[in-house]
Amino acid sequence: MALPHDTDPKLAEYAHPEKLVTTDWLAEHLDDPNLVVVESDEDILLYETGHIPGSVKVDWHTELNDQLTRDYLDAAGFAELMSRKGIGRDTTVVFYGDKSNWWAAYALWVFSLFGHPDVRLLDGGRAKWQAEHRPMTTDAPDRATSDYPLVERDDARIRAFRDEVREHLGKPLVDVRSSDEFTGKLLHMANYPQEGTLRGGHIPGAKSVPWARAANEDGTFKSRAELEALYQGEIGLASTDDVVVYCRIGERSSHTWFALTHLLGFDSVRNYDGSWTEWGNAVRMPIEREVEAPE
Amino acid sequence: MTTEVLPPSLAEIVDDFAAVSPRDRLEMLLEFSQSLPPLPERYAEHPERLESVPECQSPLFVATEVADDGTVQIFADAPQESPTTRGFAGIFHAGLNGLPAEAVLAVPGDITAYLSLTDVVSPLRLRGAAALLGRVQRQVREQLTA
């Protein structure tokens, strides 16, 4: 049984308010047996320093990725992971994490590849929960393993691959990296190559909207009106557009994918997880530099 | 990889990491993050005297002093909510602090390849850790030639 939705008025404005919960809602439902809270952080040691009571950790680097192929888990791998974390197919999963939920949004996106029915983000993530002095613990969670069915990953709807992006050139592309990464300046820093890519710049035609512009200072998402002003106003997207978002490896762009898909109700947004580490290094892929310098 | 090229204090840390399971390596990294000493007042009150390490995904700041006797003191700080970054700073502090400048400069730039952490820590983080060492070494060189 899925848990009730959060009826918070700020969330109610979004296209799919059922995809977010507030810290108040989570505090109230924390003991519900049909809920599993998943912490997924950029800093992989953060969970160990303290986490929301009962929450389980999902490590993007070692648990969501296949360790031999640059790809996500397969059906068996995901079912095994879910079983180990005590998540059933009908479990409500609430994700939270550091950095305004970068990795939490990324984990949610990967769960969405497997069509897990009820996935939600904690608005404001770990920082907001802590800022409100809500309980944290270092105790390991005590959850029984679950039975999780074998579900094939469906990449077609929300994931884009390199060749598809190449076909997509000319249609809306959003680059959510920082301005310096977008213009190509960052790789030009003397002596300190930073991103492990051979070239700096962006995919031709991409519009730059650094992911963090969708978030408030406290890590919560901006209001629906603010998000519309940004994506529909400033860079002229329409909710019916076929949109591809990307960053370095697809983590920050999961945050933007979430905002466009679930908060603004865009029909077709795909996350290109190959992102700059693939495109920027791939033979014969065209790039652009230093156009439309963003703010 | 042989640790003969490393100073004994750092080689010992490398060996300790290699001796345990990947899961325990993360636990060790967490312990190093907790053992990073707080900044002395002259840096805590003057953060502008610390150099930023932008290669790290999380804020990290470092200052290095070469004393009259030629030994190196390392001062580093990163937010409590960045334990991995603090962990690498803690490793370098534990492994290099108080050594002669020549010994610090002799540490190979690919030090992270020795640390048995490539399976559990992302490449970007390892590059950040290597960049921290690079900046420590550059600061030492600048003071030796000043």
Side-chain angles (χ1 to χ4, degrees):
Chain A
M1 263 289 284
L3 270 66
H5 299 151
D6 189 338
T7 55
D8 178 85
K10 177 207 167 194
L11 306 189
E13 293 180 3
Y14 294 125
H16 301 292
E18 72 278 9
K19 293 295 184 181
L20 277 178
V21 300
T22 58
T23 48
D24 279 341
W25 183 96
L26 184 58
E28 193 183 320
H29 292 91
L30 210 47
D31 295 329
D32 193 307
N34 285 319
L35 170 75
V36 172
V37 181
V38 170
E39 174 160 347
S40 206
D41 295 315
E42 191 230 338
D43 193 306
I44 52 157
L45 287 177
L46 201 49
Y47 173 89
E48 280 77 6
T49 69
H51 50 263
I52 295 178
S55 65
V56 299
K57 170 186 178 178
V58 169
D59 182 331
W60 65 277
H61 183 226
T62 58
E63 293 187 312
L64 295 179
N65 287 298
D66 185 282
Q67 295 301 301
L68 297 176
T69 305
R70 184 175 172 184
D71 202 353
Y72 300 105
L73 299 171
D74 61 12
F78 188 71
E80 190 276 325
L81 177 70
M82 293 302 92
S83 168
R84 199 150 35 85
K85 303 294 177 186
I87 296 172
R89 189 70 177 169
D90 59 355
T91 302
T92 295
V93 182
V94 171
F95 297 85
Y96 78 102
D98 61 355
K99 304 273 165 122
S100 307
N101 279 333
W102 274 15
W103 296 100
Y106 182 71
L108 182 149
W109 176 76
V110 174
F111 276 51
S112 301
L113 292 172
F114 291 95
H116 188 86
D118 191 3
V119 290
R120 314 181 191 185
L121 263 189
L122 174 64
D123 199 25
R126 183 182 165 99
K128 185 156 193 284
W129 183 272
Q130 280 190 300
E132 293 168 351
H133 306 291
R134 295 182 188 270
M136 301 286 277
T137 180
T138 53
D139 295 345
D142 180 23
R143 279 198 77 82
T145 57
S146 65
D147 282 323
Y148 199 91
L150 285 180
V151 182
E152 288 303 321
R153 216 177 58 223
D154 177 9
D155 291 333
R157 293 172 304 117
I158 60 171
R159 186 181 184 196
F161 294 95
R162 188 186 69 190
D163 292 343
E164 292 166 358
V165 175
R166 193 154 198 187
E167 291 291 311
H168 186 85
L169 293 183
K171 290 199 242 172
L173 265 166
V174 184
D175 183 320
V176 314
R177 298 172 303 158
S178 63
S179 301
D180 283 350
E181 289 169 279
F182 180 79
T183 58
K185 181 180 167 195
L186 203 75
L187 292 182
H188 293 200
M189 276 176 53
N191 301 328
Y192 297 107
Q194 191 164 334
E195 294 281 330
T197 44
L198 299 174
R199 304 178 301 166
H202 55 265
I203 299 177
K207 298 271 177 51
S208 169
V209 182
W211 70 276
R213 295 189 63 197
N216 293 310
E217 283 287 312
D218 66 356
T220 55
F221 280 102
K222 292 217 168 123
S223 69
R224 178 155 191 184
E226 289 169 313
L227 294 176
E228 284 175 350
L230 183 58
Y231 296 107
Q232 277 133 305
E234 205 172 300
I235 61 165
L237 297 179
S239 63
T240 50
D241 280 344
D242 178 16
V243 182
V244 170
V245 296
Y246 74 95
C247 57
R248 188 181 64 85
I249 56 172
E251 84 295 14
R252 287 171 285 182
S253 47
S254 295
H255 187 272
T256 301
W257 168 83
F258 184 91
L260 290 174
T261 302
H262 293 315
L263 305 186
L264 293 180
F266 276 51
D267 301 329
S268 172
V269 184
R270 284 174 295 159
N271 184 23
Y272 170 38
D273 57 278
S275 272
W276 195 251
T277 52
E278 179 180 48
W279 191 278
N281 285 332
V283 173
R284 287 194 157 169
M285 288 298 132
I287 69 168
E288 275 179 0
R289 286 202 179 108
E290 296 193 33
V291 295
E292 295 183 58
E295 57 153 25
Chain B
M1 293 174 93
T2 173
T3 55
E4 283 168 16
V5 296
L6 302 178
S9 47
L10 191 56
E12 192 181 325
I13 294 172
V14 167
D15 289 339
D16 287 348
F17 270 100
V20 299
S21 72
R23 192 178 181 77
D24 289 342
R25 285 174 199 152
L26 282 185
E27 188 59 37
M28 279 179 66
L29 192 58
L30 187 63
E31 286 166 14
F32 275 109
S33 80
Q34 291 155 349
S35 69
L36 182 66
L39 292 173
E41 266 183 26
R42 65 182 183 281
Y43 289 111
E45 291 174 6
H46 294 278
E48 73 281 2
R49 292 178 186 165
L50 297 159
E51 181 178 349
S52 158
V53 184
E55 291 82 359
C56 288
Q57 286 165 300
S58 314
L60 171 64
F61 301 93
V62 64
T64 311
E65 293 176 4
V66 181
D68 290 340
D69 65 358
T71 58
V72 172
Q73 296 290 318
I74 297 171
F75 306 94
D77 194 29
Q80 293 293 340
E81 55 273 21
S82 304
T84 305
T85 301
R86 287 183 67 84
F88 281 111
I91 288 172
F92 289 132
H93 187 271
L96 299 178
N97 203 54
L99 295 184
E102 295 71 30
V104 173
L105 292 177
V107 175
D110 63 347
I111 180 63
T112 55
Y114 292 78
L115 275 171
S116 311
L117 285 167
T118 44
D119 289 341
V120 287
V121 177
S122 74
L124 197 62
R125 287 211 170 269
L126 294 172
R127 276 199 291 280
L132 170 61
L133 174 68
R135 280 164 191 269
V136 165
Q137 291 176 325
R138 203 206 64 239
Q139 290 179 3
V140 168
R141 266 194 301 275
E142 282 172 357
Q143 290 173 67
L144 290 181
T145 56

